[in-house]
Amino acid sequence: MAGQPFRGDEGGLIDRERPIAFTFNGERLQGYAGDTLASALLANGIRLVGRSFKYHRPRGIVSAGAEEPNALVQLAVGARTEPNARATQVELFEGLEAESQNCWPGVGFDVGALNGVFSSLFPAGFYYKTFMWPASLWMTYEHWIRKMAGLGRAPVQPDPDRYEHRFAHCDVLVAGGGPAGLAAALAAARSGARVILADEGADFGGALRGLRATIEGRPAMNWVRAAVAELAAMPDVVLLRRATVAGYYDHNSFVVSERPAEHMAVPAPFQARGRLWSVRAKEAVLATGAIERPLVFGNNDRPGVMLASAAQAYANRFAVRPGSRAVVFTNNDSAYEAALDLARAGVSVAAVIDAREDPGPAARRVREAGIESIPGHAVINVQGGRKLKAAEVMAINGDGTACAGGDWRAIPCDLLAVSGGWNPAVHLFSQSRGKLRFDDRIAALVPGESFQRERSAGAARGTFTLRGCLAEGFRAGAVAARAAGFDKAGEPPVPDCDTQAETPLRPLWVVPLPKHTRLKRFVDLQNDVTAEDVALALREGYDNVEHLKRYTTLGMGTDQGRTSNVSGLGILAGLRGKSIPSLGTTTFRPPYTAIPFGTIAGREIGHHFAPTRRSAMHAWHEQAGASFIPAGLWFRPQVYRRPGEGMMDAIYRETKSVRTTVGMIDVSTLGKIDIQGRDAALFLDRVYTNNFRKLPVGKARYGLMLREDGMVFDDGTTTRIGESRYLMTTTTARAGEVMRHLEYCLQVLWPELDAYAVSVTEEWAAIALAGPASRSVLERVVGGVDVSNEGLPYMGYREGTVAEVPARIFRISFSGELAYEINVPADYGAAVWEAIHTAGRSFDIIPYGTEALSILRIEKGHVVSGELNGRTTADDLGFSAFLSKEKDFIGKRSLAREGLWRPDRKQLVGLIPVDKKTRVPRGAQIVEDPDRETPVPMLGEITSQCYSPNLGHPIALGIVAGGRALHGRTLHALSPVTGERVPVTVTPNVFIDPKGERLRG
Amino acid sequence: MMLIPCPWCGERAQVEFAYGGDATVKRPADPASASDREWHDYVFVRDNPKGPLDELWYHAAGCRRYFRVRRDTVTHAILASTPLPEIT
């Protein structure tokens, strides 16, 4: 393991007592606790970190934060591997393994770099222009493009870590824990407001961590530590580290992505790796800081070209020299401090090149420190490939549009620190729908008119002095707290800070090229978009900023153009001869930085993805060997296989038993709605198509419900269990929808009705007992009720006991056999089920599942979701007789539309394969002549199909245009998916006992 | 996520509610005598105004009451929230 040749002997917010071993591209290296991966790499002298996306050009570290466009690495191995991690934000931990992305076979020699050699063949819009035709080959192209482009690799194993969701409310949310954010949190919290302060870094301080600033004559970080200690001691303050406020949504709701265990190889036991906070804040303070802009000049992407503030942060915060000999290139004052700090850290600073003619006092300060100041000049190109060798400098004219020529000079260096000014991080403000404003003073977008209850403070609103940040932070915190109801919130006095006079910046969006040169000047480093690409897109007509973005991919990388968007705008404005504000900006969308999928999913994975609903008899079904099938949130027994029995054999056995002896099925999942009130009957008459007012007490009736557009909505059996009390059943799938529909009718349409509906689905366990022997079984357990055909006729209802438990007994049938449905209070469901099963033993009773139930109902031609598909009318399904002529009901008026009675509408029919052997393909299309030239007219579709063990051949239900007039005709069921084609005979839809003699017996 | 004031339960997050559509649409009192145009407009036609709109919300995960909300469709500002008129 080598030493750390670029690490200073002292200083920095690192712990030299805690060396940390890590590997990069297989090489074992060492850093210190407090390092990021980027600072540790620089300490070890590693500058080449990755390859660019399109041209595979060698790239190094550009920034020290979330804006990093280049230094993206693949972290860890196996299930915990993570692509596109920004080395500048990855905290170093023992055993960290990182690899370069986007290069093969290695970062030093990369085959894809040939793209760069032929780069004139890869202009803006290259993929659109080249690979669009023939369209059939896109799949082939895409494979190779993806391989060459090759962003990181997603893990292929299940995620071994846990993730959590948390919800929180607060009076004031402060986004960003730099000086302004800390000041805001202090001012708000001292008034008693509940405050949440979140910062993306491992600790608070923001930019102060990388600066040598002082507050009241002492290092600014002392003030930061005192502020954090004060906040931490307050009970109503939540301090979130490693937590990015990633999204700002309606009504002051926020999403915060916290990474509690990101700085460890493996989270501690029961520790979440990611935590997603949903925060509702009365007021918000956005103190998100600012991001430095690079400058755009020839070969400005070479490793060694770095933002001046980043070089400064590496020197101050990490005691790392990001190079041995530096040149600084700027158009504003901030980089002069960087130059001085680099010199102090032992970097030999050759010169500060400034695009401005008269840099003012800042230039004087660097000259006093022995650094050459070169005003009115620009770096027009750099020399060196994988490592920077020299900066080429030339004078530029007054408006920065051309090189003055003549005084070309190359200054040897291995670090070029650049600053093109600062962009306030207005992302959250823009997400909140606030209006951005272009501020000429700093040539950047700043928050304008607010839309939600927020205010920006400090660098996030374009205030770059420390004193200004503290003052604005205190004010914003006090204002927010007062707005949240803490009237006494005041502004603490602003402490003394050293503040230098500033010379205004000079916008320089792109450095001009010397005559007769062609150099790549990168605007967007991550997506390899150059100034020439912007010009080309404009020439081809993409003059709108949104079009420019999509055509060139400018700002569309994982960095979302944090360092490139405003520069791109400036270049476009210059080319069009317009002002930047007149062009508008692209939209900032959440999240600010990527949120891991695991964090978004939280604990809602696997069988915690949704709640599980189990009936009262679930445990019995499990013991009886049932397999289960989800039905909405319910799990219903699908089939009860006996040891050694095949799936289909079991289903057919269950089906036959119901038709020949007796079976029992758990129907607790059907929706049950208790409807009461003086107008309950009238209400039912209005929601059902058929008549319920005349239904006597103690009788059940099939009911059909329509939507207001006339299509069938749901069906079920409704029983009059008292003079003004009904029990409605719904399908399992639509139970919730029907309930909401009834509430709508009662509360919105007819509030004058005295009727009330309440769901009682979960109060009752429901057992259907079906088959010729069902009465004999019931007689053994029933009490207080005569269940003979006379005592309890078909569609009758009685109350009594079953297994000595109070029970509701309905003589209704879905299977078409003699059948009863028994409802008992849910707590007794398992006992009553068990009792019925025991009583049925001598009749060979069997439990049956949903598969057998489905076959039984297809045999009887009953409709379910496939037929009730929202596009079928009552008449389509053969239910015209249920449409009362004597009253109005929901959907009736729509039935007056003649289109709903056209004879060629798709109507419900039965279908039997002509050979009585071949299964009808699931979901098949029905056509008259499959051999016709395409397009073959489609007459309809198969909605249900099965093999009928009772008939001994396959059957199906379908909806077929004019189908009722086609009984006896042969049509064809085609499945384009499987290639099957089966001739089928059209029949009525009831296959067994069409007269219904069995169920009335 | 919007914060919706239920007149019965107070301010709750939007996930607790189901949207009930335009509250100003009236079901014709006597559908049988409504013209085809009137009925068609009632069933199928909804305005999509930019600005304040009276709409119904249903507190599905709460009190199960429909109520009226006046909401600005541009800003999502909730301008009013009132119970439906009770008729007894």
Side-chain angles (χ1 to χ4, degrees):
Chain A
M1 198 182 295
Q4 300 178 38
F6 288 83
R7 182 83 68 180
D9 294 332
E10 56 187 24
L13 305 173
I14 50 166
D15 185 352
R16 285 163 213 270
E17 304 296 306
R18 288 172 57 206
I20 287 178
F22 70 103
T23 64
F24 180 68
N25 288 335
E27 190 182 349
R28 286 175 56 76
L29 300 165
Q30 196 192 65
Y32 291 120
D35 262 328
T36 62
L37 174 59
S39 67
L41 289 173
L42 289 171
N44 284 277
I46 292 173
R47 308 289 176 74
L48 173 60
V49 177
R51 289 274 173 170
S52 74
F53 180 64
K54 189 162 139 190
Y55 301 130
H56 290 249
R57 286 168 69 102
R59 291 286 166 84
I61 293 158
V62 172
S63 76
E67 66 270 33
E68 179 60 33
N70 274 355
L72 305 184
V73 294
Q74 183 90 29
L75 278 189
V77 288
R80 287 195 171 85
T81 193
E82 185 185 331
N84 302 331
R86 289 173 291 272
T88 51
Q89 286 190 299
V90 173
E91 292 176 51
L92 205 64
F93 54 80
E94 186 67 33
L96 179 145
E97 293 176 51
E99 281 176 21
S100 298
Q101 293 182 170
N102 211 21
C103 53
W104 183 85
V107 69
F109 173 75
D110 173 22
V111 167
L114 284 172
N115 281 3
V117 176
F118 297 107
S119 66
S120 59
L121 300 176
F122 293 88
F126 168 73
Y127 295 115
Y128 297 120
K129 287 166 178 162
T130 311
F131 293 111
M132 279 300 120
W133 57 90
S136 59
L137 278 181
W138 170 249
M139 301 296 238
T140 315
Y141 294 143
E142 193 186 17
H143 176 77
W144 288 103
I145 291 170
R146 293 250 174 258
K147 194 177 171 69
M148 292 301 285
L151 286 170
R153 301 180 311 276
V156 291
Q157 290 121 299
D159 193 325
D161 295 322
R162 54 194 273 151
Y163 300 86
E164 293 173 353
H165 288 173
R166 276 199 68 171
F167 295 83
H169 296 259
C170 64
D171 297 305
V172 180
L173 171 74
V174 182
L182 285 167
L186 282 173
R190 283 174 186 166
S191 74
R194 291 171 304 161
V195 173
I196 296 177
L197 171 65
D199 190 273
E200 66 183 1
D203 212 339
F204 296 99
L208 293 180
R209 293 180 302 172
L211 296 171
R212 292 168 52 88
T214 59
I215 294 176
E216 289 187 326
R218 288 187 293 278
M221 283 307 286
N222 290 9
W223 180 89
V224 168
R225 286 185 200 104
V228 172
E230 182 182 340
L231 290 166
M234 294 193 214
D236 287 333
V237 174
V238 175
L239 297 176
L240 296 179
R241 294 171 172 87
R242 303 183 177 94
T244 307
V245 181
Y248 194 147
Y249 303 91
D250 286 323
H251 294 191
N252 258 25
S253 57
F254 297 83
V255 163
V256 181
S257 171
E258 189 191 357
R259 301 168 298 277
E262 201 183 56
H263 55 301
M264 325 177 172
V266 177
F270 305 107
Q271 186 186 24
R273 184 178 188 84
R275 186 176 294 128
L276 197 74
W277 291 71
S278 301
V279 178
R280 180 85 62 178
K282 281 188 189 150
E283 299 290 332
V285 176
L286 307 180
T288 45
I291 295 168
E292 197 167 24
R293 285 195 295 254
L295 285 161
V296 181
F297 51 88
N299 292 309
N300 60 334
D301 64 324
R302 293 303 187 199
V305 180
M306 184 183 284
L307 291 171
S309 61
Q312 187 180 16
Y314 288 119
N316 292 334
R317 178 176 159 196
F318 303 103
V320 165
R321 294 184 301 278
S324 303
R325 185 175 157 85
V327 167
V328 177
F329 175 27
T330 185
N331 66 346
N332 68 89
D333 273 8
S334 68
Y336 285 86
E337 289 304 315
L340 293 169
D341 286 358
L342 286 169
R344 208 173 278 124
V347 179
S348 153
V349 182
V352 179
I353 321 293
D354 197 322
R356 298 174 295 182
E357 295 290 345
D358 181 12
R364 210 162 41 239
R365 283 206 304 283
V366 295
R367 279 198 299 272
E368 281 163 11
I371 299 169
E372 187 183 2
S373 163
I374 311 180
H377 279 62
V379 174
I380 46 114
N381 187 22
V382 300
Q383 299 172 358
R386 277 175 268 173
K387 196 173 179 213
L388 194 60
K389 294 201 174 93
E392 299 181 8
V393 177
M394 261 182 154
I396 53 170
N397 66 2
D399 61 2
T401 53
C403 295
D407 67 342
W408 181 92
R409 164 180 179 197
I411 306 173
C413 61
D414 63 354
L415 171 68
L416 177 55
V418 298
S419 178
W422 291 81
N423 290 330
V426 294
H427 304 70
L428 290 177
F429 173 79
S430 176
Q431 288 176 25
S432 80
R433 300 174 72 183
K435 281 208 179 73
L436 294 170
R437 179 172 66 77
F438 192 80
D439 184 344
D440 288 318
R441 183 181 61 88
I442 58 169
L445 294 163
V446 294
E449 195 186 325
S450 281
F451 182 83
Q452 297 207 41
R453 299 177 71 92
E454 53 72 34
R455 68 278 307 140
S456 297
R461 70 184 288 268
T463 300
F464 299 139
T465 64
L466 178 52
R467 191 184 157 73
C469 287
L470 291 172
E472 284 186 10
F474 283 140
R475 189 175 320 128
V479 168
R482 285 198 293 268
F486 296 84
D487 301 334
K488 292 188 187 127
E491 293 169 35
V494 183
D496 285 337
C497 310
D498 48 345
T499 305
Q500 309 283 352
E502 277 212 49
T503 309
L505 112 172
R506 166 181 163 182
L508 182 64
W509 301 115
V510 59
V511 174
L513 288 176
K515 286 200 178 89
H516 314 300
T517 56
R518 284 184 61 179
L519 298 168
K520 280 197 182 339
R521 297 173 295 173
F522 287 89
V523 185
D524 181 333
L525 291 165
Q526 187 167 96
N527 275 357
D528 275 353
V529 180
T530 65
E532 286 65 33
D533 289 327
V534 175
L536 175 67
L538 182 61
R539 281 203 302 281
E540 294 183 356
Y542 297 92
D543 58 354
N544 174 292
V545 56
E546 294 285 351
H547 294 162
L548 177 81
K549 168 181 166 181
R550 282 156 183 81
Y551 192 61
T552 61
T553 71
L554 173 73
M556 290 175 72
T558 58
D559 67 339
Q560 295 184 16
R562 271 186 267 281
T563 54
S564 62
N565 276 341
V566 177
S567 304
L569 262 178
I571 293 172
L572 182 66
L575 291 169
R576 291 188 58 189
K578 295 203 164 190
S579 71
I580 291 178
S582 72
L583 293 181
T585 62
T586 53
T587 316
F588 294 90
R589 293 192 179 86
Y592 175 64
T593 49
I595 304 175
F597 280 120
T599 304
I600 293 169
R603 303 297 294 275
E604 290 157 26
I605 53 168
H607 64 259
H608 294 301
F609 180 67
T612 303
R613 298 179 82 179
R614 296 187 181 93
S615 85
M617 291 81 97
H618 192 88
W620 192 97
H621 304 321
E622 279 179 332
Q623 279 181 5
S627 51
F628 292 88
I629 189 163
L633 299 177
W634 291 100
F635 278 81
R636 302 191 67 181
Q638 182 182 22
V639 59
Y640 301 79
R641 284 164 73 175
R642 291 172 176 170
E645 192 178 30
M647 177 88 156
M648 299 314 291
D649 292 338
I651 293 168
Y652 299 150
R653 170 182 55 74
E654 290 176 9
T655 312
K656 279 191 199 160
S657 287
V658 174
R659 295 243 182 269
T660 54
T661 55
V662 60
M664 60 194 295
I665 183 169
D666 184 348
V667 291
S668 304
T669 62
L670 290 179
K672 293 179 277 291
I673 300 172
D674 195 334
I675 298 168
Q676 300 187 47
R678 279 195 307 279
D679 297 321
L682 178 60
F683 173 59
L684 287 175
D685 259 9
R686 290 184 183 179
V687 296
Y688 275 135
T689 64
N690 42 336
N691 193 309
F692 277 80
R693 255 184 293 185
K694 292 176 191 159
L695 182 70
V697 175
K699 279 286 189 186
R701 181 165 284 175
Y702 175 78
L704 189 68
M705 246 181 239
L706 307 187
R707 299 190 314 224
E708 200 74 286
D709 67 357
M711 300 299 148
V712 175
F713 173 37
D714 198 53
D715 66 349
T717 306
T718 289
T719 307
R720 190 165 198 170
I721 59 178
E723 188 52 41
S724 53
R725 186 172 191 189
Y726 293 79
L727 185 73
M728 172 187 282
T729 65
T730 74
T731 58
T732 300
R734 296 240 166 85
E737 256 181 285
V738 170
M739 188 65 211
R740 196 182 144 198
H741 173 66
L742 297 184
E743 292 285 17
Y744 178 83
C745 294
L746 283 171
Q747 296 178 36
V748 181
L749 295 185
W750 310 305
E752 71 277 12
L753 291 187
D754 179 42
Y756 304 89
V758 64
S759 168
V760 293
T761 304
E762 286 170 2
E763 275 73 3
W764 297 89
I767 303 161
L769 190 59
S774 57
R775 181 178 295 135
S776 307
V777 175
L778 184 56
E779 277 167 347
R780 296 200 167 192
V781 287
V782 78
V785 179
D786 171 12
V787 295
S788 70
N789 204 30
E790 295 72 37
L792 183 52
Y794 179 56
M795 296 307 263
Y797 166 77
R798 294 290 180 275
E799 287 169 16
T801 63
V802 171
E804 293 170 39
V805 172
R808 293 169 164 179
I809 304 166
F810 309 76
R811 171 98 184 264
I812 54 178
S813 174
F814 192 56
S815 58
E817 298 300 321
L818 171 66
Y820 300 86
E821 194 183 306
I822 297 146
N823 288 8
V824 293
D827 285 351
Y828 295 95
V832 172
W833 174 281
E834 178 77 56
I836 295 172
H837 188 256
T838 305
R841 258 191 205 130
S842 46
F843 301 92
D844 295 329
I845 196 168
I846 52 103
Y848 64 103
T850 54
E851 294 291 339
L853 179 76
S854 175
I855 293 175
L856 291 163
R857 75 96 194 158
I858 297 172
E859 288 176 341
K860 287 296 292 179
H862 290 316
V863 292
V864 294
S865 55
E867 292 80 25
L868 304 178
N869 63 9
R871 292 182 299 168
T872 46
T873 66
D875 184 61
D876 296 342
L877 301 172
F879 291 155
S880 292
F882 289 104
L883 302 174
S884 169
K885 295 201 166 42
E886 297 159 15
K887 54 155 189 154
D888 185 39
F889 53 81
I890 294 277
K892 185 178 191 181
R893 176 64 181 80
S894 289
L895 298 179
R897 293 185 294 165
E898 55 193 75
L900 297 193
W901 296 89
R902 281 168 55 136
D904 62 347
R905 282 189 62 83
K906 288 179 183 174
Q907 296 165 340
L908 180 66
V909 294
L911 298 153
I912 297 174
V914 171
D915 66 1
K916 296 212 166 182
K917 283 196 192 107
T918 314
R919 280 283 284 266
V920 182
R922 206 177 284 258
Q925 294 291 324
I926 296 168
V927 302
E928 189 166 15
D929 176 6
D931 297 318
R932 248 187 70 151
E933 201 177 311
T934 54
V936 182
M938 292 178 291
L939 299 181
E941 70 214 48
I942 299 294
T943 52
S944 305
Q945 59 81 38
C946 67
Y947 169 80
S948 165
N950 295 298
L951 295 166
H953 61 75
I955 55 173
L957 297 175
I959 48 173
V960 176
R964 280 201 293 273
L966 299 176
H967 290 177
R969 287 273 296 278
T970 298
L971 299 173
H972 297 267
L974 299 187
S975 171
V977 179
T978 62
E980 292 165 278
R981 47 189 284 182
V982 180
V984 288
T985 307
V986 182
T987 70
N989 61 307
V990 185
F991 297 96
I992 282 189
D993 189 25
K995 289 184 184 156
E997 287 160 351
R998 295 175 179 219
L999 51 88
R1000 290 187 171 80
Chain B
M1 186 189 293
M2 291 195 294
L3 204 54
I4 298 174
C6 168
W8 311 102
C9 308
E11 280 192 328
R12 301 299 178 93
Q14 189 185 337
V15 282
E16 294 188 14
F17 300 87
Y19 188 56
D22 189 336
T24 61
V25 174
K26 283 268 175 291
R27 189 172 196 262
D30 178 16
S33 63
S35 70
D36 280 355
R37 169 57 59 185
E38 283 165 355
W39 187 255
H40 169 268
D41 286 354
Y42 160 63
V43 176
F44 296 109
V45 179
R46 295 292 180 272
D47 287 340
N48 184 18
K50 188 177 173 181
L53 172 68
D54 285 315
E55 49 195 25
L56 293 170
W57 285 83
Y58 176 58
H59 199 180
C63 62
R64 284 187 16 232
R65 301 293 289 173
Y66 276 90
F67 58 99
R68 215 179 235 265
V69 171
R70 190 166 174 77
R71 183 179 66 103
D72 189 312
T73 59
V74 178
T75 65
H76 289 184
I78 308 284
L79 307 169
S81 169
T82 48
L84 295 178
E86 291 266 5
I87 299 168
T88 48

